[in-house]
Amino acid sequence: VTGVGGTAIVYPSGFSSTYWGTSDTANNGGTAISYIPETGWNDDVELTLVSTSCSSPALTVQENCGIIQSGGGASNCSLQDSSFSTCVSGFPQPTWQTVSLPTAPPTGVARYSPDVALLASPNFPGYVYCTPVEELATSNSSSTASSCAGGIQAAVNGVVVNNNYTVVPSVVGGTSASAPVFAGMVTLLNQYLNGAFSTGLGNINPALYTLAASSPGAFHQVTSGTNIVYCAGATPTDMPTLYRCPGAVNTTGSFGYDASNADATTGYNLVTGLGSVDADVLFTAWKALRNTSPTTTALNASPTQTYQSGNVTLTATVTPASAVGPVTFSVGSTVYGTVPLTAGVATLSVSSLPVGAHTITASYGGNATLLNSTSNTASVTVVQAFTVSVGATSLQVTPGQSGTATINVTPAAGFTAALTFTCSDSTVTATGATQCSVSPSTPTTASSVSVSIPTAAPSAQLRAPLGSSRGIFYAALLPGLLGIVFTAGSGKRAARGLRFLSLILVLGFSTLWLGACSSNSGSTHTPGTPPGMYTVTINATTGGTSPVTASTTVTLNVQ
């Protein structure tokens, strides 16, 4: 990506007759007659110099009219934390961004933006984007714009009839204007190079920075102005501390960069980048440096077949070996990584390819002296890392028994990771969860494991009719009564019949009590695992942050 920032014409010196033609002639009727010195786009500052409804100072302008200025700075939020709530770091600084700032931004080595800049202010002077007034009106109303200058003025101010605009003011600005203007320049550059690059120019950033050092006339270095904004202290809270607005909560601070903090060689700064572009000089210098011989990129993938999570090494070799710049590796339409060349070679290790057949390419973006090129295709097939199967797919048990199954593991060639086994079913046991046991129970590389799946047996508990405390009373009472009977009988031999009768009565009452203890009203019952067919899933996984998982099922027939 090429970042385009914004510039503005210095007010009021840039609007004098030194730079602008005032006569209505074929060449300079109201147009610029030479390069006009630029400054960093910050209308909030320049609007304080003119009478506007936004008022002044710059803080008041910003509060009343908003932020009307260019962005820019060091990348700060390409990487977030695991909750995606806090920024951790930005894009790293690419190898081709060979600039050094006297005062580095807080991130140190980070991708800087913008790369170049063009006029973007909607006020100093702004872009007129409408068609001529004559084409918007009837043939008899062209007197509202009798000249080119008058037509432009009507477009800028609008035309009011009976308090209504018949022509709406048509001046715009912003990097939404400067970015497509530069895109148009790049299109013309490709055409100027006689279609030598049938696939396009590729990444133009390496050439821009090289030419900024070797052909400085290709850029108008802009080293005045700022993109400083007023902000609420200690915000935004989801940015790293060094990227929050300076100051305490509920205070007003300021944040941004000064264009005077520039690279000594290229004039690069964090407000306007390398500066604005002189298309004619840039095109000529580009053609002089560009080699007409294309580069070649050869891609090799090793191995050509692997398993899930297995590493594939992609090696791109660019000829000539002196080539520098980035190589982008793509699998289909997905970019898997960009790696800078070292001695003409770029290497990327990939371990996240999904199961299936993949076509991989490598693209060299070119630089200031070499053309871009795309490699041959390399094919890589990824197979499932392992499969699991069950020795007996159906187990028959009765409630209370355990079913035992052997789980066999078939790994792909080269796969040696340890596996952990678990079961999942919600109805096999009476408690509502399968409590299977695996042997061995720890992560294992064994070719088979044994899985035991228990079921619950029905059960009942007997209780005394009057509660557990009365049960103790009965237990104590029975021996006491027997003792009384035997004691009373031992002193009266003549009363043997009465003693025998007493014994019968005691035993009779004891039998009644025992019957009461086993009555249904004093027992609880659990039915165990109900009869039926149950499907139990056995999962095997490698674990880790990118686990590979396979599963199989066994049917448990509870009768």
Side-chain angles (χ1 to χ4, degrees), residues 332-420:
S333 60
T334 303
V335 174
Y336 267 73
T338 299
V339 180
L341 286 168
T342 300
V345 178
T347 302
L348 177 68
S349 180
V350 178
S351 61
S352 55
L353 293 175
V355 172
H358 304 282
T359 300
I360 305 173
T361 58
S363 299
Y364 171 56
N367 58 30
T369 59
L370 295 173
L371 303 180
N372 57 305
S373 58
T374 300
S375 74
N376 56 293
T377 59
S379 298
V380 174
T381 301
V382 179
V383 299
Q384 194 167 343
F386 63 93
T387 59
V388 291
S389 59
V390 61
T393 59
S394 180
L395 304 174
Q396 183 173 308
V397 297
T398 59
Q401 289 184 330
S402 295
T404 302
T406 299
I407 307 300
N408 300 309
V409 180
T410 304
F415 178 82
T416 59
L419 302 177
T420 300

Side-chain angles (χ1 to χ4, degrees), residues 113-425:
S113 66
D115 297 304
V116 295
L118 291 169
L119 287 173
S121 168
N123 302 294
F124 301 96
Y127 288 87
V128 180
Y129 72 93
C130 67
T131 57
V133 173
E134 288 87 344
E135 296 184 17
L136 296 177
T138 65
S139 59
N140 295 324
S141 61
S142 61
S143 59
T144 57
S146 59
S147 66
C148 178
I152 292 175
Q153 193 62 53
V156 171
N157 296 332
V159 176
V160 179
V161 177
N162 296 327
N163 296 321
N164 294 316
Y165 278 114
T166 59
V167 176
V168 178
S170 305
V171 178
V172 297
T175 51
S176 296
S178 61
V181 167
F182 184 67
M185 289 182 177
V186 175
T187 303
L188 294 173
L189 171 63
N190 195 40
Q191 182 183 29
Y192 171 77
L193 296 173
N194 298 321
F197 315 105
S198 59
T199 59
L201 290 169
N203 181 10
I204 67 171
N205 293 334
L208 292 177
Y209 283 83
T210 298
L211 290 171
S214 62
S215 302
F219 301 91
H220 300 291
Q221 296 178 0
V222 181
T223 56
S224 67
T226 74
N227 58 9
I228 294 175
V229 297
Y230 295 96
C231 50
T235 63
T237 57
D238 60 347
M239 286 287 181
T241 301
L242 291 175
Y243 282 95
R244 297 175 187 173
C245 179
V249 177
N250 298 324
T251 64
T252 298
S254 61
F255 186 83
Y257 300 99
D258 195 313
S260 63
N261 180 32
D263 175 65
T265 302
T266 64
Y268 181 92
N269 58 73
L270 294 173
V271 181
T272 62
L274 297 171
S276 64
V277 181
D278 186 314
D280 179 58
V281 178
L282 178 68
F283 289 14
T284 303
W286 197 304
K287 189 172 185 178
L289 287 178
R290 200 74 168 177
N291 193 327
T292 57
S293 300
T295 61
T296 60
T297 301
L299 175 64
N300 178 67
S302 179
T304 57
Q305 179 168 316
T306 186
Y307 52 85
Q308 290 167 284
S309 75
N311 283 330
V312 176
T313 300
L314 306 176
T315 303
T317 303
V318 178
T319 303
S322 59
V324 295
V327 171
T328 300
F329 295 90
S330 302
V331 181
S333 60
T334 303
V335 174
Y336 267 73
T338 299
V339 180
L341 286 168
T342 300
V345 178
T347 302
L348 177 68
S349 180
V350 178
S351 61
S352 55
L353 293 175
V355 172
H358 304 282
T359 300
I360 305 173
T361 58
S363 299
Y364 171 56
N367 58 30
T369 59
L370 295 173
L371 303 180
N372 57 305
S373 58
T374 300
S375 74
N376 56 293
T377 59
S379 298
V380 174
T381 301
V382 179
V383 299
Q384 194 167 343
F386 63 93
T387 59
V388 291
S389 59
V390 61
T393 59
S394 180
L395 304 174
Q396 183 173 308
V397 297
T398 59
Q401 289 184 330
S402 295
T404 302
T406 299
I407 307 300
N408 300 309
V409 180
T410 304
F415 178 82
T416 59
L419 302 177
T420 300
F421 292 83
T422 58
C423 300
S424 60
D425 183 89

Side-chain angles (χ1 to χ4, degrees), residues 86-112:
T86 302
C87 296
V88 176
S89 66
F91 290 103
Q93 190 169 36
T95 56
W96 41 260
Q97 196 170 52
T98 52
V99 296
S100 177
L101 302 179
T103 305
T107 55
V109 286
R111 169 74 158 99
Y112 293 156

